[in-house]
Amino acid sequence: MELNYLTIYIINNQNQIMKNIFTMMLFIVLCGSLSYAQGNKTITGTIKDNQNRPVVNASVLVKGTNLGTASDAGGNFEIQVPATASVLIFSAVGYDDQEVNIGDKKNMNVILAEKNLGIDEVVVVGYSTVDKKHLASSVAQMDMSQTKTRPIMKMEQAFSGTIPGVTMLQGNSLPGSSPGSIAIRGVSTLQNASPLVIVDGMEQSLSDIDPNQIKSLTVLKDAASTSMYGSRGANGVIIIETERGTTGQFKVDLNAWGSIDNPIDLPTFVNAADYMRLNNEARSLQGQTTLYTAEDIQKAESGETKSVNWLDEVMQSRAYAHNQSANISGGGGVGTFNLMLGHIQENGLNNIEGTQKFSARFNTNVNIADKFVLLADFYAHRLQVDRLMANDDGHGLYQIAWRMNPTQQVFFEGTDLPNHYMLHNNLNPVASINHGGIKNYMHDRSTINLRPKYYINPNLNIEGNISYMINKSANKSVRETFKFYDATGKPATIWANSVTADQGVSQSQITARALVNYTKDLRGNKDKLYLTAGSEMMNFTYTDYREINKASFFGKLNYSFDERYLLELTARSDGSSKFAPGQKWGFFPSAALAWNLHNESFMSSLRDSKTLTNFKIRASYGLIGNENVDPYLWQEVVNTWGWTMRVPNPLFSWEKQKQWNVGADLTLLDNRLNITADVYDKFSYDLIYSDFPVPPLTGSNTLTSAVNIGEVRNKGYEISANWSDNIGDLKYTIGGMFFDNSNKVEKAGYNKTDTLIFKNTNDKIWYNGIAIDNYYGYETDGYFQNEAEIDATTAKLPNTIPGDIRYRDQNGDGIINDDDRVELGDPFPHLNYSVNLNLKYKGWDFAALGQGVGRRTSRIGGQEGYPIYVDNASNALGAPRQEYADNRWTPENPNSRFPRVWTGASTNTFLSDVWLSDASYFRIKMLQLGYTFPKWGKAFQNVRVYVNAQDAFTFTKYEGLEPERNGGNGNYPRMATYSFGIRATIF
């Protein structure tokens, strides 16, 4: 309880706390400067690599002290050392550490040896770390140094085009929401397909993590790597390790950026005059009386009747965001610490909507004696989301604005009443902003993570992990009374005073884990053994009386024989309270083999000449599971009248997945070229369908059950390559990746010939050979051109008129019905690719990232495609897009792209190939230019300033608005972001 009060105090007073910390920090720097001044020796020098290139931001540390500095963009350094100092330690990322005796030297020119990156680095996998050269499974790592410089609001945004096999389609830029869902090697479930995210050993949400706090991010992709997480690994696993302090080095890393956002997917609506013409045209085609006279249209053309663009009216300000973070770290013989503070604020398109987040993370390593280490981590954040009452999901305001037509005015004209809003079916989006009320959401999260480790000997240790997380949320809303008047000034309606407050469902998560780790070099350091075994228990408790319990036992063996042959064996047994008695436990084993071909004797000549420094062939196979469903689904549900609503299923159990992977890693031409390639096959079966319709056996009109049904196969390939070199002082890296995934249902029910029709949707159906999220609709054959053509056609739908879609009669029975629907494609991105370029020249740096999809089919339904808002009631004309108006069917334009304009109900809205469009695209995800100042005054070093453009350019033929999402009836826009940032370090 005391911790929760402390957490809340820190969050509520974080601005003041940060000011106090910075004041204290500057005081420490001043004191340190004074102590430096008392030293009797100044040492200068340069730090370069073995190719005579300067090493930027290398650490220079006086051994046995906290005194240090860093090299500038030219590799130069200057440090004052006490007279008693004897050794300087030089270190940098990607290089071997080097110790140099000081003696009577006043100038040092140090050459750091490069590590064989990608081979010698250590990778966090499962509950342990393994040298990458000893890995036999498929893993990938994100370049966090570049990610931290981008204006990323949520970590999901960093996955577009950065890791092979991982896709992230971002549909909008709504503040406070997840930008999109991440898929690792495709989707193979009916449930939530998001990957498991582990942060410092704890299961957490990816959206919560500040990129500036991340040290490493590893994606586990195949069964051999993910099976360590057993029932939770089928959608892939993302492992994040946050930054920790460094022994002997006190420093402060500062990062700040500000950005402005520009909508990139706004529709162009027809103006008032064209709207009147289209409305009259639709009514004339349908044999109805027209609404607008020639005089009405002339007034709209002359401007006497104002043409209102409702999107312009509701987007009242430019969206912007800003971020500040500080990492304060250091340590000595007792241990290390890292205090990470963060603040990010996003403002929306009006003065009310937006979000603000404060976060604080404190990581510490405490060394007790020589054998005991305690990692104690504390984290808290508060997220405040501000919305309109009329737009509490963030999208509603824009959906309503789309539904208004340009002849509808915001205000009554010619009256003396202030704020004399005109209501249209009780709707006015501008009035909703100014008088519709405000709703505030508050989300708090606090975590404690304790990881004690005891070293029995240098090779054997036992480790524990006890973590606790609590999530709380609340919301409140307020609206003051506002009166509306009609055109004559008489009262029309009232938006009444309203004040509400609600407490959300709180969730607590407790995890307890025990591990034994054994690492040993064998046969004179020719072999290496890694062994991890342990057990884990998790408890999730909700204030709405739900509870979930899990228990697991697992073990993993990695063995490297003669640095040539690699073996990985994993086994995990999971139990979950979500499943029926007798079905709660599952067993998930895996195995992987690899061959370091470059270490064979017959490769010695290539190895010695550095033509080939790494050539690894990998193969893996395993069984993993998915239990990402709600609890209690297997149980019976009875309503208050005693009717059964859910049929119990005593056989309800895990989703299961078998996966094999074959891959290769190559490093060529003196470590300048790196290539990784993989092919895989994921076979998922016993899929969970939580809402399977059951024929009513009681008085219920709906009856469902949770069942394990169907089989899905995902096949794919991934290839990535990077080339790094230098031309004089210019260092450059060029890279790219290409990958694809094909998805197919192999069994829709209990038999291969079964067909599964989904509840509450007529546009999705499963059968053998179709994609999991297929478009299932009608093929078309143009449009009916006249009444004679309609009369001569047997297979047509009722009330067909000229300009309507002609659907193909697939079975030739003379009737258009569901039997004529066929597979039209799937919405998944195919032929995914990205390219990246990084340049460094002295103090300058430049980075570019482009990401694209070579093939994707998207649906342009809703008002993004149709000329009307389909609500199954009035089906009002709304405000058609200009794209539709320019390409609609008319007698004068018979070979049009879209059918005729219409109002009311229409068979033209059925899912068909008319409403599918090529959504392939190429997008410049990032352009960044920066410059690093070696020193800025006496306190600041390696000050980097940069400008960044994100999602600024998109090349596509898509007929909708945003190729990364399907069409709809309007939502918060997708943004291009332009930012300016600064990073600096204080030693």
Side-chain angles (χ1 to χ4, degrees):
M1 184 64 68
E2 293 180 359
L3 176 67
N4 289 336
Y5 286 134
L6 176 61
T7 298
I8 293 172
Y9 174 79
I10 290 173
I11 293 174
N12 288 336
N13 298 275
Q14 188 163 0
N15 284 335
Q16 186 60 44
I17 290 172
M18 290 181 71
K19 290 179 182 178
N20 293 339
I21 288 173
F22 284 125
T23 302
M24 179 182 68
M25 176 186 66
L26 292 175
F27 175 76
I28 291 171
V29 171
L30 178 62
C31 292
S33 299
L34 291 175
S35 66
Y36 275 176
Q38 296 172 357
N40 63 355
K41 182 179 291 189
T42 298
I43 298 177
T44 60
T46 59
I47 306 172
K48 295 185 177 182
D49 62 15
N50 52 14
Q51 296 187 33
N52 202 36
R53 298 174 299 191
V55 179
V56 181
N57 204 26
S59 174
V60 184
L61 184 70
V62 179
K63 189 172 183 177
T65 73
N66 292 331
L67 304 178
T69 187
S71 62
D72 60 21
N76 305 302
F77 72 92
E78 178 181 318
I79 185 170
Q80 291 180 325
V81 301
T84 56
S86 60
V87 176
L88 289 182
I89 302 173
F90 297 86
S91 61
V93 176
Y95 297 87
D96 292 324
D97 292 353
Q98 187 175 151
E99 296 187 8
V100 178
N101 292 324
I102 295 175
D104 58 357
K105 301 182 181 118
K106 293 184 179 180
N107 184 269
M108 293 183 181
N109 295 317
V110 178
I111 304 296
L112 293 182
E114 284 189 88
K115 290 180 179 178
N116 197 350
L117 291 178
I119 300 176
D120 292 339
E121 61 184 309
V122 174
V123 180
V124 180
V125 288
Y127 305 104
S128 61
T129 59
V130 178
D131 291 344
K132 190 170 184 179
K133 63 184 178 181
H134 295 152
L135 275 177
S137 50
S138 179
V139 302
Q141 291 184 292
M142 182 178 289
D143 182 0
M144 290 307 304
S145 62
Q146 189 170 94
T147 301
K148 291 178 181 180
T149 66
R150 296 172 59 186
I152 291 176
M153 315 296 178
K154 302 285 187 180
M155 262 307 296
E156 287 93 337
Q157 294 174 282
F159 284 83
S160 290
T162 55
I163 296 180
V166 180
T167 58
M168 202 290 289
L169 296 178
Q170 182 176 348
N172 61 78
S173 301
L174 175 66
S177 72
S178 174
S181 58
I182 292 174
I184 299 177
R185 293 186 166 181
V187 177
S188 56
T189 179
L190 287 165
Q191 310 305 313
N192 186 344
S194 298
L196 174 68
V197 178
I198 304 294
V199 181
D200 293 332
M202 292 183 64
E203 182 176 340
Q204 292 191 34
S205 167
L206 189 63
S207 297
D208 295 336
I209 308 302
D210 184 343
N212 294 290
Q213 299 177 3
I214 298 176
K215 178 182 179 181
S216 67
L217 188 152
T218 305
V219 178
L220 312 183
K221 296 191 287 188
D222 67 345
S225 57
T226 60
S227 63
M228 195 62 167
Y229 293 94
S231 64
R232 298 181 290 162
N235 297 325
V237 181
I238 298 172
I239 298 180
I240 292 173
E241 292 289 312
T242 58
E243 295 278 6
R244 313 196 75 82
T246 304
T247 301
Q249 187 177 21
F250 176 83
K251 65 175 183 176
V252 180
D253 293 312
L254 305 174
N255 177 44
W257 55 258
S259 69
I260 58 173
D261 298 328
N262 186 48
I264 59 175
D265 61 350
L266 296 181
T268 300
F269 294 126
V270 297
N271 60 32
D274 286 341
Y275 170 81
M276 293 178 183
R277 294 189 183 96
L278 289 170
N279 195 306
N280 285 349
E281 180 182 316
R283 290 178 173 274
S284 296
L285 290 170
Q286 295 164 182
Q288 300 167 331
T289 304
T290 58
L291 294 182
Y292 299 100
T293 65
E295 183 181 359
D296 294 331
I297 296 174
Q298 192 278 327
K299 287 182 178 179
E301 288 181 329
S302 67
E304 184 178 347
T305 298
K306 181 183 176 183
S307 183
V308 179
N309 186 320
W310 283 92
L311 272 182
D312 287 346
E313 297 294 334
V314 299
M315 294 191 300
Q316 298 176 340
S317 61
R318 180 177 290 277
Y320 67 92
H322 56 90
N323 170 269
Q324 305 84 34
S325 67
N327 286 12
I328 305 161
S329 62
V334 177
T336 64
F337 72 92
N338 193 359
L339 174 63
M340 294 165 275
L341 304 175
H343 169 251
I344 186 168
Q345 181 172 344
E346 296 179 75
N347 287 11
L349 293 167
N350 55 64
N351 294 328
I352 296 173
E353 295 179 307
T355 67
Q356 187 167 206
K357 179 181 176 180
F358 297 93
S359 65
R361 184 184 296 274
F362 185 72
N363 291 353
T364 180
N365 295 18
V366 181
N367 303 318
I368 304 174
D370 293 330
K371 295 187 175 183
F372 186 79
V373 179
L374 173 64
L375 278 65
D377 305 338
F378 306 91
Y379 174 69
H381 84 234
R382 165 163 288 182
L383 173 65
Q384 178 179 321
V385 181
D386 298 322
R387 301 269 192 250
L388 301 168
M389 278 184 64
N391 184 34
D392 60 356
D393 69 347
H395 300 293
L397 178 74
Y398 307 93
Q399 293 169 349
I400 294 172
W402 275 40
R403 290 163 55 183
M404 311 301 290
N405 76 61
T407 69
Q408 295 171 325
Q409 304 300 306
V410 179
F411 299 100
F412 285 104
E413 300 291 340
T415 68
D416 296 330
L417 290 173
N419 296 326
H420 194 182
Y421 292 98
M422 185 181 295
L423 290 179
H424 309 279
N425 295 324
N426 206 36
L427 297 176
N428 187 313
V430 178
S432 294
I433 296 174
N434 298 324
H435 304 286
I438 302 171
K439 194 165 187 178
N440 307 112
Y441 294 86
M442 195 74 71
H443 304 275
D444 287 341
R445 171 165 292 179
S446 302
T447 68
I448 307 172
N449 190 17
L450 304 177
R451 290 180 284 173
K453 181 182 289 188
Y454 181 76
Y455 289 87
I456 299 173
N457 59 50
N459 306 112
L460 177 65
N461 67 74
I462 55 176
E463 182 180 348
N465 190 181
I466 300 174
S467 62
Y468 175 75
M469 177 169 63
I470 184 167
N471 301 319
K472 293 184 176 181
S473 63
N475 66 78
K476 62 181 181 180
S477 65
V478 59
R479 182 179 67 192
E480 297 180 357
T481 300
F482 186 79
K483 297 180 180 180
F484 290 89
Y485 301 89
D486 63 16
T488 64
K490 295 180 179 179
T493 190
I494 294 176
W495 285 358
N497 179 73
S498 174
V499 178
T500 65
D502 293 300
Q503 189 78 30
V505 175
S506 297
Q507 173 196 347
S508 64
Q509 172 186 324
I510 299 175
T511 303
R513 185 183 305 119
L515 299 169
V516 176
N517 296 300
Y518 182 75
T519 305
K520 179 69 172 177
D521 290 314
L522 304 173
R523 296 197 317 125
N525 296 333
K526 292 182 178 180
D527 300 350
K528 190 163 186 177
L529 171 71
Y530 306 82
L531 179 63
T532 297
S535 64
E536 179 182 69
M537 291 185 294
M538 301 181 72
N539 172 268
F540 299 83
T541 305
Y542 303 82
T543 53
D544 61 358
Y545 302 103
R546 290 177 296 151
E547 185 173 359
I548 301 170
N549 291 288
K550 303 176 186 179
S552 306
F553 301 92
F554 49 82
K556 187 178 184 71
L557 168 71
N558 288 69
Y559 192 85
S560 169
F561 177 78
D562 199 27
E563 296 289 346
R564 292 184 295 164
Y565 311 115
L566 310 177
L567 171 68
E568 286 186 28
L569 296 175
T570 306
R572 178 167 176 137
S573 181
D574 279 341
S576 174
S577 64
K578 293 181 178 180
F579 301 107
Q583 309 294 329
K584 296 181 182 295
W585 285 88
F587 181 65
F588 306 98
S590 72
L593 296 170
W595 180 17
N596 278 328
L597 193 62
H598 62 281
N599 285 331
E600 295 291 349
S601 59
F602 58 81
M603 288 285 189
S604 60
S605 61
L606 293 175
R607 191 170 61 246
D608 294 342
S609 66
K610 295 186 178 181
T611 301
L612 176 69
T613 52
N614 178 48
F615 186 10
K616 181 192 293 184
I617 299 175
R618 300 174 276 103
S620 67
Y621 181 81
L623 174 67
I624 45 182
N626 181 23
E627 53 91 57
N628 197 4
V629 293
D630 292 331
Y632 316 120
L633 290 177
W634 66 274
Q635 295 178 316
E636 183 180 26
V637 175
V638 179
N639 67 13
T640 54
W641 291 279
W643 293 354
T644 297
M645 304 299 292
R646 179 179 289 276
V647 177
N649 182 2
L651 301 178
F652 183 60
S653 186
W654 312 90
E655 283 190 4
K656 304 170 187 68
Q657 183 185 105
K658 297 176 182 178
Q659 183 180 167
W660 63 256
N661 185 97
V662 176
D665 305 312
L666 289 94
T667 304
L668 304 164
L669 305 175
D670 197 11
N671 298 326
R672 288 177 292 182
L673 177 62
N674 290 277
I675 301 173
T676 298
D678 285 272
V679 293
Y680 62 87
D681 185 303
K682 294 167 50 175
F683 176 67
S684 303
Y685 58 103
D686 287 345
L687 303 186
I688 294 173
Y689 187 11
S690 59
D691 213 18
F692 185 74
V694 176
L697 303 176
T698 67
S700 304
N701 63 347
T702 59
L703 196 60
T704 63
S705 183
V707 297
N708 297 100
I709 192 170
E711 298 174 354
V712 172
R713 187 178 296 276
N714 279 267
K715 294 181 179 181
Y717 58 86
E718 305 158 1
I719 184 167
S720 62
N722 284 279
W723 174 271
S724 298
D725 202 357
N726 69 287
I727 303 173
D729 291 333
L730 176 65
K731 297 175 66 175
Y732 67 92
T733 299
I734 301 173
M737 65 181 69
F738 185 77
F739 61 93
D740 198 8
N741 175 274
S742 63
N743 176 286
K744 185 173 71 171
V745 174
E746 296 202 341
K747 187 164 71 174
Y750 297 104
N751 300 295
K752 289 283 188 181
T753 56
D754 286 348
T755 296
L756 181 61
I757 300 174
F758 286 84
K759 181 183 176 182
N760 298 327
T761 175
N762 195 44
D763 294 337
K764 182 177 178 180
I765 191 169
W766 276 21
Y767 55 82
N768 191 348
I770 204 167
I772 190 172
D773 276 337
N774 59 84
Y775 298 119
Y776 190 70
Y778 296 99
E779 285 187 331
T780 63
D781 187 19
Y783 305 112
F784 287 104
Q785 300 297 332
N786 49 58
E787 289 291 347
E789 189 174 304
I790 295 172
D791 294 339
T793 303
T794 304
K796 59 179 180 291
L797 292 167
N799 302 315
T800 296
I801 65 174
D804 283 339
I805 299 172
R806 185 206 302 266
Y807 298 111
R808 289 184 183 272
D809 181 11
Q810 299 287 351
N811 57 10
D813 63 358
I815 302 172
I816 300 296
N817 56 20
D818 284 350
D819 294 338
D820 296 305
R821 295 192 298 161
V822 296
E823 178 189 4
L824 299 175
D826 68 69
F828 298 118
H830 296 282
L831 305 178
N832 301 270
Y833 62 97
S834 71
V835 291
N836 63 81
L837 171 67
N838 290 275
L839 304 174
K840 289 186 178 180
Y841 180 76
K842 297 183 178 180
W844 292 96
D845 62 85
F846 174 77
L849 172 64
Q851 177 259 336
V853 170
R855 188 180 79 247
R856 180 172 182 259
T857 301
S858 184
R859 184 176 182 179
I860 53 173
Q863 282 185 273
E864 197 162 319
Y866 310 149
I868 64 169
Y869 172 68
V870 179
D871 59 356
N872 296 319
S874 65
N875 287 9
L877 187 64
R881 288 178 57 207
Q882 192 67 50
E883 171 82 7
Y884 171 86
D886 292 341
N887 295 280
R888 74 191 188 282
W889 181 94
T890 64
E892 297 74 30
N893 184 28
N895 299 316
S896 60
R897 171 64 182 89
F898 299 112
R900 67 177 178 90
V901 66
W902 73 89
T903 61
S906 173
T907 58
N908 289 325
T909 60
F910 292 164
L911 174 57
S912 71
D913 52 23
V914 166
W915 305 115
L916 299 181
S917 181
D918 176 10
S920 58
Y921 68 91
F922 177 70
R923 174 165 277 156
I924 305 297
K925 294 295 298 181
M926 178 191 69
L927 290 173
Q928 187 173 120
L929 178 65
Y931 185 82
T932 301
F933 297 90
K935 288 187 177 182
W936 200 332
K938 293 184 178 180
F940 296 92
Q941 299 188 34
N942 294 315
V943 179
R944 180 175 181 267
V945 294
Y946 62 91
V947 290
N948 187 99
Q950 188 158 293
D951 296 334
F953 305 99
T954 303
F955 305 92
T956 183
K957 295 181 179 179
Y958 181 49
E959 296 166 300
L961 299 176
E962 171 50 58
E964 292 191 43
R965 69 164 185 264
N966 286 344
N969 292 306
N971 58 274
Y972 193 91
R974 177 76 185 271
M975 301 287 189
T977 301
Y978 304 90
S979 62
F980 171 81
I982 182 169
R983 301 179 67 89
T985 300
I986 304 175
F987 281 92

Coordinates of all heavy atoms in Angstrom, one line a residue, residues 729-762:
D729 N 36.3 9.2 -44.7 CA 35.6 9.5 -43.5 C 34.1 9.2 -43.6 O 33.4 9.4 -42.6 CB 35.8 11.0 -43.2 CG 37.2 11.4 -42.8 OD1 37.9 10.5 -42.2 OD2 37.6 12.5 -43.0
L730 N 33.7 8.8 -44.7 CA 32.2 8.5 -44.9 C 32.0 7.0 -44.5 O 32.5 6.1 -45.2 CB 31.8 8.7 -46.3 CG 30.3 8.4 -46.6 CD1 29.4 9.2 -45.8 CD2 30.1 8.5 -48.1
K731 N 31.2 6.8 -43.5 CA 30.8 5.4 -43.1 C 29.3 5.2 -43.6 O 28.5 6.1 -43.4 CB 30.9 5.2 -41.6 CG 32.2 5.3 -41.1 CD 32.3 5.2 -39.6 CE 31.8 3.8 -39.1 NZ 31.9 3.7 -37.6
Y732 N 29.0 4.1 -44.2 CA 27.7 3.9 -44.7 C 27.2 2.5 -44.5 O 28.0 1.5 -44.4 CB 27.6 4.3 -46.2 CG 28.4 3.4 -47.1 CD1 27.7 2.3 -47.7 CD2 29.7 3.6 -47.4 CE1 28.4 1.4 -48.6 CE2 30.4 2.8 -48.3 CZ 29.8 1.7 -48.8 OH 30.5 0.8 -49.7
T733 N 25.9 2.3 -44.4 CA 25.3 1.0 -44.3 C 24.0 1.0 -45.2 O 23.2 2.0 -45.1 CB 24.8 0.7 -42.9 OG1 26.0 0.6 -42.0 CG2 24.1 -0.7 -42.8
I734 N 23.9 0.0 -46.1 CA 22.8 -0.1 -46.9 C 22.2 -1.5 -46.6 O 22.9 -2.5 -46.6 CB 23.2 0.0 -48.4 CG1 23.8 1.3 -48.7 CG2 21.9 -0.3 -49.3 CD1 24.4 1.4 -50.1
G735 N 20.9 -1.5 -46.4 CA 20.2 -2.8 -46.1 C 18.9 -2.9 -46.7 O 18.3 -1.9 -47.2
G736 N 18.3 -4.1 -46.6 CA 17.0 -4.3 -47.1 C 16.5 -5.7 -46.6 O 17.3 -6.5 -46.1
M737 N 15.2 -5.9 -46.8 CA 14.6 -7.2 -46.4 C 13.4 -7.4 -47.3 O 12.8 -6.5 -47.9 CB 14.2 -7.2 -45.0 CG 13.0 -6.2 -44.6 SD 12.6 -6.3 -42.8 CE 14.1 -5.6 -42.1
F738 N 13.1 -8.7 -47.5 CA 12.0 -9.1 -48.3 C 11.4 -10.4 -47.7 O 12.1 -11.3 -47.4 CB 12.4 -9.4 -49.7 CG 11.3 -9.7 -50.7 CD1 10.5 -8.7 -51.2 CD2 11.0 -11.0 -51.1 CE1 9.5 -8.9 -52.1 CE2 10.0 -11.3 -52.0 CZ 9.2 -10.2 -52.5
F739 N 10.0 -10.4 -47.5 CA 9.4 -11.5 -46.9 C 8.0 -11.6 -47.3 O 7.3 -10.6 -47.7 CB 9.6 -11.5 -45.4 CG 8.9 -10.4 -44.7 CD1 7.6 -10.4 -44.2 CD2 9.6 -9.2 -44.5 CE1 7.1 -9.4 -43.5 CE2 9.1 -8.1 -43.8 CZ 7.8 -8.2 -43.3
D740 N 7.4 -12.8 -47.2 CA 6.0 -13.1 -47.5 C 5.5 -14.2 -46.7 O 6.2 -15.0 -46.2 CB 5.9 -13.3 -49.0 CG 4.4 -13.2 -49.5 OD1 3.6 -12.6 -48.7 OD2 4.1 -13.5 -50.6
N741 N 4.1 -14.2 -46.6 CA 3.4 -15.3 -45.8 C 2.2 -15.6 -46.6 O 1.4 -14.7 -47.0 CB 3.1 -14.8 -44.4 CG 2.3 -15.8 -43.6 OD1 1.1 -15.8 -43.7 ND2 3.0 -16.6 -42.9
S742 N 1.9 -16.9 -46.8 CA 0.6 -17.3 -47.4 C -0.2 -18.1 -46.3 O 0.4 -18.9 -45.5 CB 0.9 -18.2 -48.6 OG 1.6 -19.4 -48.2
N743 N -1.4 -17.8 -46.3 CA -2.3 -18.3 -45.2 C -3.4 -19.1 -45.9 O -4.1 -18.6 -46.8 CB -2.9 -17.1 -44.5 CG -3.9 -17.5 -43.4 OD1 -5.0 -17.8 -43.7 ND2 -3.5 -17.4 -42.2
K744 N -3.7 -20.3 -45.3 CA -4.7 -21.1 -45.9 C -5.4 -22.0 -44.9 O -4.8 -22.6 -44.0 CB -4.1 -22.1 -47.0 CG -5.1 -22.9 -47.8 CD -4.5 -23.6 -48.9 CE -3.6 -24.8 -48.4 NZ -3.1 -25.6 -49.5
V745 N -6.8 -22.0 -44.9 CA -7.6 -22.9 -44.1 C -7.5 -24.3 -44.7 O -7.8 -24.5 -45.9 CB -9.0 -22.4 -44.0 CG1 -9.9 -23.4 -43.3 CG2 -9.1 -21.0 -43.4
E746 N -7.1 -25.3 -43.9 CA -7.0 -26.7 -44.4 C -8.2 -27.5 -43.8 O -8.5 -28.5 -44.4 CB -5.7 -27.3 -43.9 CG -4.5 -26.6 -44.6 CD -3.3 -27.5 -44.6 OE1 -3.2 -28.5 -43.9 OE2 -2.4 -27.2 -45.5
K747 N -8.8 -27.0 -42.8 CA -10.0 -27.7 -42.3 C -10.8 -26.7 -41.5 O -10.4 -26.1 -40.6 CB -9.7 -28.9 -41.4 CG -10.9 -29.7 -41.0 CD -10.5 -31.1 -40.4 CE -9.9 -31.0 -39.1 NZ -9.6 -32.3 -38.5
A748 N -12.1 -26.5 -42.0 CA -12.9 -25.4 -41.4 C -13.7 -25.9 -40.3 O -14.1 -25.1 -39.4 CB -13.9 -24.9 -42.5
G749 N -14.0 -27.2 -40.2 CA -14.8 -27.8 -39.1 C -14.1 -29.0 -38.5 O -12.9 -29.1 -38.3
Y750 N -14.9 -30.1 -38.4 CA -14.4 -31.3 -37.9 C -13.9 -32.3 -39.0 O -13.2 -33.2 -38.8 CB -15.4 -32.0 -37.0 CG -15.8 -31.2 -35.8 CD1 -17.0 -30.5 -35.7 CD2 -14.9 -31.1 -34.7 CE1 -17.3 -29.7 -34.6 CE2 -15.2 -30.3 -33.6 CZ -16.4 -29.6 -33.6 OH -16.7 -28.9 -32.5
N751 N -14.3 -31.9 -40.2 CA -13.9 -32.7 -41.4 C -13.4 -31.8 -42.5 O -13.7 -30.6 -42.5 CB -15.1 -33.5 -42.0 CG -15.7 -34.5 -40.9 OD1 -15.0 -35.4 -40.5 ND2 -16.9 -34.2 -40.5
K752 N -12.6 -32.4 -43.4 CA -12.0 -31.6 -44.5 C -13.0 -30.9 -45.3 O -12.8 -29.8 -45.9 CB -11.1 -32.5 -45.3 CG -9.8 -32.9 -44.6 CD -8.8 -31.8 -44.6 CE -7.4 -32.3 -44.1 NZ -6.4 -31.3 -44.1
T753 N -14.2 -31.5 -45.5 CA -15.2 -31.0 -46.4 C -16.2 -30.0 -45.7 O -17.1 -29.5 -46.4 CB -16.0 -32.1 -47.0 OG1 -16.6 -32.9 -45.9 CG2 -15.1 -33.0 -47.8
D754 N -16.0 -29.7 -44.4 CA -16.9 -28.8 -43.7 C -16.7 -27.4 -44.2 O -15.7 -27.0 -44.6 CB -16.6 -28.9 -42.2 CG -17.1 -30.2 -41.6 OD1 -17.9 -30.9 -42.2 OD2 -16.8 -30.5 -40.4
T755 N -17.8 -26.6 -44.1 CA -17.8 -25.2 -44.3 C -18.3 -24.5 -43.0 O -19.3 -24.9 -42.4 CB -18.8 -24.8 -45.5 OG1 -18.3 -25.4 -46.7 CG2 -18.9 -23.3 -45.6
L756 N -17.6 -23.5 -42.6 CA -17.9 -22.8 -41.4 C -18.4 -21.3 -41.7 O -17.6 -20.6 -42.3 CB -16.7 -22.7 -40.5 CG -16.9 -22.0 -39.1 CD1 -17.9 -22.7 -38.3 CD2 -15.5 -21.9 -38.4
I757 N -19.6 -21.0 -41.4 CA -20.2 -19.7 -41.6 C -20.2 -19.0 -40.3 O -20.7 -19.5 -39.3 CB -21.6 -19.8 -42.2 CG1 -21.6 -20.5 -43.5 CG2 -22.2 -18.4 -42.4 CD1 -23.0 -20.8 -44.1
F758 N -19.6 -17.8 -40.2 CA -19.4 -17.1 -38.9 C -20.6 -16.4 -38.5 O -21.3 -15.8 -39.3 CB -18.2 -16.2 -39.0 CG -16.9 -17.0 -39.0 CD1 -16.4 -17.5 -40.2 CD2 -16.2 -17.2 -37.9 CE1 -15.2 -18.2 -40.2 CE2 -15.0 -17.9 -37.9 CZ -14.5 -18.4 -39.1
K759 N -20.8 -16.3 -37.2 CA -21.9 -15.6 -36.6 C -21.7 -14.1 -36.8 O -20.6 -13.6 -36.7 CB -22.0 -16.0 -35.1 CG -23.1 -15.3 -34.4 CD -23.0 -15.7 -32.9 CE -24.1 -15.0 -32.1 NZ -24.0 -15.3 -30.6
N760 N -22.8 -13.4 -37.1 CA -22.8 -11.9 -37.1 C -22.1 -11.4 -38.3 O -21.8 -10.2 -38.3 CB -22.3 -11.3 -35.8 CG -23.2 -11.7 -34.6 OD1 -24.4 -11.9 -34.7 ND2 -22.6 -11.9 -33.5
T761 N -21.7 -12.2 -39.3 CA -21.1 -11.6 -40.5 C -21.4 -12.5 -41.6 O -21.3 -13.7 -41.6 CB -19.5 -11.4 -40.3 OG1 -19.0 -11.0 -41.6 CG2 -18.9 -12.7 -40.0
N762 N -21.8 -11.9 -42.7 CA -22.2 -12.7 -43.9 C -21.1 -12.6 -44.9 O -21.1 -13.2 -46.0 CB -23.5 -12.1 -44.6 CG -24.1 -13.1 -45.6 OD1 -24.1 -14.3 -45.3 ND2 -24.5 -12.5 -46.7

